Amino acid sequence: MTRDDVIDLERQGWQALSSTPEAATGFYERILDRTVVMLLPGGMVLDDRAAIVKAMSGRPWSSYELQDPRVSHPTTDTALVTYGVLARRDGAPPYSALMSSLYARRQDGWRLVFHQQTPR
């Protein structure tokens, strides 16, 4: 997986989250690994795959900007992408955070195994 491929996966996720709840849940149903962990603001830890997919059906983002994306490969079968994001929802204050997502290569393609958001 190249740098651009990993960043493209993140952009696809943001695009889905900026579209419809069905698009978001469909994307994450496809991309999440069988075992996944998400660390979200407020000390929220999600490790139930079905609950994570359901949580993606919230109100869509109206805009987002990925800032300074970086990719590293801790092993040949993993890819770590980190970046800043500035996202907006209509009628809500902007959301600014540092993001990290870890992907693992599986027999059926790359899957998201870990994601963390740190507000800034």
Side-chain angles (χ1 to χ4, degrees), residues 28-79:
Y28 285 97
E29 182 66 42
R30 286 188 306 277
I31 199 71
L32 290 179
D33 198 45
R34 289 180 312 278
T35 303
V36 59
V37 174
M38 290 193 173
L39 303 178
L40 303 174
M44 187 182 310
V45 178
L46 298 176
D47 60 3
D48 178 292
R49 188 180 190 281
I52 292 169
V53 170
K54 184 178 178 181
M56 298 303 166
S57 67
R59 190 165 59 125
W61 294 99
S62 55
S63 68
Y64 63 91
E65 175 190 342
L66 298 163
Q67 303 166 330
D68 192 25
R70 299 175 188 201
V71 176
S72 63
H73 292 275
T75 70
T76 57
D77 290 329
T78 61

Side-chain angles (χ1 to χ4, degrees), residues 1-118:
M1 175 173 265
T2 69
R3 174 188 185 279
D4 291 340
D5 292 336
V6 179
I7 294 168
D8 189 51
L9 285 175
E10 289 293 303
R11 283 199 174 101
Q12 288 176 39
W14 278 99
Q15 182 60 42
L17 291 167
S18 299
S19 182
T20 65
E22 296 79 17
T25 57
F27 176 80
Y28 285 97
E29 182 66 42
R30 286 188 306 277
I31 199 71
L32 290 179
D33 198 45
R34 289 180 312 278
T35 303
V36 59
V37 174
M38 290 193 173
L39 303 178
L40 303 174
M44 187 182 310
V45 178
L46 298 176
D47 60 3
D48 178 292
R49 188 180 190 281
I52 292 169
V53 170
K54 184 178 178 181
M56 298 303 166
S57 67
R59 190 165 59 125
W61 294 99
S62 55
S63 68
Y64 63 91
E65 175 190 342
L66 298 163
Q67 303 166 330
D68 192 25
R70 299 175 188 201
V71 176
S72 63
H73 292 275
T75 70
T76 57
D77 290 329
T78 61
L80 175 66
V81 60
T82 59
Y83 58 96
V85 70
L86 179 58
R88 291 182 172 82
R89 284 190 170 115
D90 292 335
Y95 178 66
S96 180
L98 297 175
M99 305 285 196
S100 62
S101 294
L102 181 66
Y103 293 87
R105 185 190 332 253
R106 304 293 188 219
Q107 287 182 331
D108 57 349
W110 289 90
R111 298 292 173 250
L112 181 63
V113 297
F114 177 81
H115 177 76
Q116 180 172 1
Q117 298 180 16
T118 305

